[in-house]
């Protein structure tokens, strides 16, 4: 068994790369690679949920990034598909959030105050021979200190860096977006959990409870025996049988 669950996608794209540009099989292999990789886009979209965007929108953005990853991936360079696709998809999702920054919703008066504040800071620095405090800035501009804080946040939000621009400094000149992500090996745990849930549901109530006590509450067999009123030997036998049943359920025919 391959360690990387997306190795088969790399194989599909390697096969596609070896075909002539006008070979009709190229399109079919590309479409199959995209379809096989859709769970990856789903997982990444889930990681960014709860940040003010609908889940469906995030899934669509992540799928767009996935298509870009499939189209840009070059198997001949030696990298595996998952290591390339994760930062590509995450970069697309991050660009989506970048394009919807809070600056777009900043009140007009705060935007104007942010522009005025720069001139006021220069004047006060020249006059006081030091940087002005927030209170001094607020007095100079005739606003509250809270407005100064909000204007500073607005000014910071208006400055963005393209994720497509090569990172500055160092030996790695890849675009910033390709340097942000990393392979999250917990994706496999998510898939295993979804597969295990129906198998657990098919156990009898007593066996399911004992498995839960052992592997979810981390109780010893003796503690489970005390909790359930069974002997430790009986608990051990039920655990062995339950694990065997679960393995049988999860093993492909």
């Amino acid at each position: 068994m391959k360690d990387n669950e997306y190795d088969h996608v790399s194989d599909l794209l390697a096969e596609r790369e070896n075909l002539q540009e006008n070979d009709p099989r190229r399109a079919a292999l590309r479409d199959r690679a995209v379809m096989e990789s859709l769970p990856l886009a789903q997982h990444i979209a889930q990681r960014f949920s709860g940040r003010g965007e609908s889940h469906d929108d995030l899934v669509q953005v992540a799928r767009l990034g996935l298509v870009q990853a499939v189209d840009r991936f070059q198997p001949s360079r030696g990298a595996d598909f998952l290591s390339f696709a994760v930062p590509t998809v995450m970069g697309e999702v991050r660009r989506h959030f970048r394009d919807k920054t809070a600056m777009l919703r900043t009140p007009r008066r705060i935007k104007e105050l942010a522009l005025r504040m720069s001139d006021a800071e220069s004047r006060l620095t020249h006059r006081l021979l030091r940087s002005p405090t927030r209170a001094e800035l607020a007095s100079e501009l005739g606003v509250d200190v809270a407005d100064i804080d909000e204007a500073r946040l607005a000014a910071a939000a208006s400055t963005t860096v393209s994720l497509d621009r090569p990172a500055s400094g160092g030996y790695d000149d890849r675009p910033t977006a390709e340097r942000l992500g990393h392979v999250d090996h917990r994706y496999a745990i998510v898939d295993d959990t979804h597969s295990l849930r129906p198998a657990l549901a098919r156990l009898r109530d007593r066996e399911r409870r004992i498995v839960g006590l052992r592997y979810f509450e981390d109780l010893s067999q003796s503690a489970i025996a005390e909790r359930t009123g069974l002997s430790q030997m009986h608990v051990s036998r039920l655990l062995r049988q339950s694990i065997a049943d679960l393995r049988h359920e999860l093993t492909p025919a």
Side-chain angles (χ1 to χ4, degrees), residues 44-231:
I44 292 177
Q46 185 64 37
R47 291 183 61 179
F48 284 87
S49 63
R51 302 188 186 185
E53 289 293 298
S54 74
H55 178 69
D56 288 344
D57 286 347
L58 290 177
V59 170
Q60 291 302 316
V61 173
R63 287 177 176 175
L64 173 61
L66 177 65
V67 171
Q68 293 174 353
V70 168
D71 288 341
R72 290 165 51 193
F73 180 62
Q74 296 179 316
S76 58
R77 291 192 172 185
D80 66 273
F81 177 74
L82 186 61
S83 297
F84 178 85
V86 168
T88 302
V89 177
M90 292 184 70
E92 189 64 30
V93 176
R94 287 190 172 105
R95 272 191 290 276
H96 174 74
F97 280 100
R98 179 201 66 193
D99 293 340
K100 291 179 173 290
T101 57
M103 185 63 185
L104 299 177
R105 303 179 180 85
T106 302
R108 180 187 295 269
R109 67 180 184 84
I110 296 299
K111 293 181 182 179
E112 294 174 350
L113 177 58
L115 295 174
R116 293 168 50 209
M117 197 165 62
S118 179
D119 290 336
E121 284 183 308
S122 297
R123 290 197 307 271
L124 286 173
T125 298
H126 180 74
R127 186 191 312 161
L128 302 172
L129 301 179
R130 59 171 173 79
S131 298
T133 65
R134 293 157 55 242
E136 289 167 340
L137 266 176
S139 177
E140 178 76 9
L141 294 170
V143 298
D144 295 331
V145 172
D147 292 331
I148 295 295
D149 294 336
E150 191 172 354
R152 281 179 167 164
L153 287 173
S158 66
T159 303
T160 59
V161 176
S162 173
L163 294 176
D164 293 320
R165 189 183 71 182
S168 59
Y171 62 89
D172 193 344
D173 60 354
R174 290 178 301 159
T176 301
E178 294 185 12
R179 294 159 53 94
L180 293 178
H182 64 282
V183 177
D184 191 339
H185 297 287
R186 290 173 296 178
Y187 290 142
I189 297 177
V190 175
D191 292 335
D192 291 344
T193 300
H194 284 296
S195 301
L196 183 60
R197 184 176 289 115
L200 282 170
R202 284 189 282 272
L203 292 177
R204 292 182 297 179
D205 290 344
R206 182 177 63 176
E207 281 77 354
R208 186 165 59 249
R209 184 189 178 201
I210 289 174
V211 169
L213 291 173
R214 179 68 184 93
Y215 295 104
F216 291 89
E217 296 189 28
D218 200 26
L219 295 183
S220 65
Q221 291 185 11
S222 58
I224 296 173
E226 184 176 347
R227 179 83 65 89
T228 59
L230 302 172
S231 69

Side-chain angles (χ1 to χ4, degrees), residues 232-250:
Q232 183 175 343
M233 183 178 298
H234 195 180
V235 168
S236 178
R237 185 165 58 250
L238 290 174
L239 278 173
R240 284 197 305 272
Q241 183 59 50
S242 298
I243 296 304
D245 291 342
L246 291 173
R247 283 176 175 163
H248 178 74
E249 289 277 353
L250 297 176

